[in-house]
Amino acid sequence: MTPAELAARAEFGRRLAREAGALAQRYFRRELAFAAEAKGPQDFVSVADHAVEALIRERLGVAFPDDTMLGEEAGGELGAHAWFVDPIDGTINFVHGVRYWCISIAFLVAGQRRIGLIYDPSLDELFSAVKGGGAYCNDTPIRVSACQRLDSALVCAGYVPRHPVEAHLRLTRRLHDAGAAVKDMGAGALMLAHVAAGRFDAFLEPHMHPWDALAGLLLVEEAGGRTHPYPGAGGLAAGGPVIASAPEIYAALEHAARSE
């Protein structure tokens, strides 16, 4: 893929993320009615998720018909040029009226992260990165924090019920014992974007799906942070563990995550 082709996709993706966010906001504000259904314990999906994903799929299909797309709700295919989409990351927040959710869009070429886009409609913040081009919030360059010690770190540790709760509690206990402040804001993609912006010092989760993780991981890397190799042994469709942080505390986080 040529630089011009990649740049065209990045610019299109930025516009698309904002369009998708505007539609999601109409549902969030109840201008458009929706009901939520449970896919599993504390795992929700709504008409809004499906509508936003359908919009993104339609727009990408027209603009780049030879690209493939894998979405959280409707699935899809993985090709050499592949988009990964979570139409609303943080649906549990969304359906409860909590303003911490986002649209996450990533583009990969031959399995390599090339474009990452995370849009927070509530604050009108578009986090974007193109491989080798740095990371931005709207038009402002962003960097990970300069945090050097866990006892001064604000760390997000993601949890969903498919993760073993005892392992999560052990991890958060180790982080607290090391002096870190530990939060879970309920939207992994947006927490990764906030690590890239230096608002959080780190984010960990034992498993993330690719539509949740890929855009945020590229943002963190382009903002100067370190990330755990992703995906796991099962490949892209299976996802894997995520650690992303300011460089100086990465080793301590890796140790905390693997200690039992």
Side-chain angles (χ1 to χ4, degrees):
M1 176 165 290
T2 68
E5 290 172 325
L6 190 64
R9 282 168 171 78
E11 181 55 34
F12 183 86
R14 293 183 190 101
R15 296 195 304 270
L16 180 57
R18 289 186 179 278
E19 182 183 5
L23 176 59
Q25 277 282 62
R26 294 187 66 196
Y27 284 101
F28 184 79
R29 293 170 178 159
R30 302 288 175 164
E31 296 170 11
L32 298 173
F34 75 92
E37 300 176 358
K39 295 190 288 186
Q42 297 297 329
D43 185 10
F44 289 91
V45 64
S46 73
V47 169
D49 297 81
H50 289 292
V52 173
E53 184 171 312
L55 170 69
I56 294 171
R57 190 179 299 274
E58 178 184 0
R59 297 288 191 267
L60 288 175
V62 171
F64 307 108
D66 293 330
D67 293 355
T68 61
M69 176 182 145
L70 183 66
E72 178 177 12
E73 307 307 338
E77 300 177 359
L78 292 180
H81 300 161
W83 297 85
F84 292 78
V85 175
D86 190 341
I88 299 175
D89 183 51
T91 299
I92 191 168
N93 289 343
F94 183 92
V95 301
H96 284 84
V98 176
R99 294 182 180 275
Y100 200 92
W101 53 274
C102 66
I103 288 86
S104 179
I105 302 173
F107 178 69
L108 277 67
V109 177
Q112 302 300 307
R113 298 187 285 271
R114 290 293 180 261
I115 298 169
L117 303 163
I118 294 175
Y119 182 50
D120 176 0
S122 298
L123 295 178
D124 190 26
E125 289 187 329
L126 176 60
F127 300 89
S128 63
V130 176
K131 182 70 174 179
Y136 293 82
C137 179
N138 295 334
D139 296 324
T140 302
I142 55 176
R143 296 289 294 177
V144 296
S145 79
C147 182
Q148 298 187 10
R149 296 169 54 95
L150 279 184
D151 60 7
S152 62
L154 177 56
V155 176
C156 289
Y159 173 77
V160 294
R162 71 175 183 273
H163 304 155
V165 66
E166 292 302 326
H168 174 73
L169 293 174
R170 288 194 298 269
L171 171 61
T172 55
R173 175 62 183 266
R174 288 192 294 271
L175 293 171
H176 281 298
D177 286 346
V182 184
K183 308 288 183 184
D184 180 8
M185 305 299 290
L190 192 52
M191 286 185 275
L192 281 167
H194 289 168
V195 172
R199 299 172 186 175
F200 299 135
D201 300 304
F203 172 80
L204 305 88
E205 188 159 333
H207 176 270
M208 290 182 75
H209 295 297
W211 46 79
D212 293 321
L214 291 169
L217 288 172
L218 182 60
L219 279 162
V220 172
E221 291 163 356
E222 289 296 315
R226 287 190 63 184
T227 64
H228 184 76
Y230 184 93
L236 267 176
V242 169
I243 303 174
S245 75
E248 294 297 327
I249 60 172
Y250 179 83
L253 291 163
E254 281 273 20
H255 177 74
R258 67 173 177 261
S259 297
E260 286 295 342

